[in-house]
């Protein structure tokens, strides 16, 4: 499945599979929303590890990540808690 991106005001709604190759496009949509952009993941089914890193970096920059499934949230927390040297080695 591919990723669908819909921008509604300051909200960027994603549907489908979020993968590394989509990150630049999602970032471009967020840039058009301005500094108050919000990512809505309610319809995201699958993410890869690079997408998890992207989502964590969004939150670190103050972007709200809404409606993420428990699976995605757990992976985000797991990646944040991993030592930085372990993350780099696997990439």
């Amino acid at each position: 499945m591919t990723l669908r991106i819909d921008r509604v005001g300051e909200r960027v709604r994603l549907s489908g599979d979020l993968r590394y190759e989509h990150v630049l496009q999602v970032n471009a949509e967020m840039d058009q929303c301005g500094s108050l952009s919000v990512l809505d993941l309610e319809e995201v089914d699958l993410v890869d590890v690079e997408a998890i890193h992207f989502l964590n970096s969004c939150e670190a920059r103050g972007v709200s990540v809404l409606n993420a499934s428990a699976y995605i949230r757990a992976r985000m927390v797991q990646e944040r808690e991993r030592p930085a040297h372990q993350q780099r080695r696997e990439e």
Side-chain angles (χ1 to χ4, degrees):
M1 182 171 195
T2 59
L3 182 70
R4 178 178 170 168
I5 303 170
D6 296 308
R7 190 167 26 96
V8 180
E10 295 173 340
R11 183 175 294 222
V12 177
R13 298 180 69 199
L14 306 178
S15 303
D17 297 348
L18 178 59
R19 299 182 184 278
Y20 175 74
E21 59 263 20
H22 304 122
V23 168
L24 289 177
Q25 187 177 1
V26 172
N27 252 336
E29 292 294 329
M30 289 172 34
D31 287 345
Q32 291 188 16
C33 291
S35 62
L36 299 175
S37 61
V38 173
L39 275 176
D40 186 341
L41 305 182
E42 185 172 9
E43 296 181 17
V44 172
D45 302 316
L46 184 69
V47 293
D48 62 15
V49 70
E50 291 86 1
I52 293 294
H53 294 169
F54 168 70
L55 294 172
N56 280 335
S57 72
C58 287
E59 284 193 335
R61 292 189 324 257
V63 173
S64 296
V65 177
L66 305 177
N67 301 316
S69 68
Y71 157 76
I72 292 172
R73 278 284 168 205
R75 291 213 39 212
M76 289 172 70
V77 169
Q78 181 181 26
E79 284 301 311
R80 276 195 305 264
E81 292 175 348
R82 293 175 71 170
H85 70 277
Q86 241 184 353
Q87 291 177 15
R88 281 192 304 270
R89 185 174 52 224
E90 291 180 4
E91 294 174 352

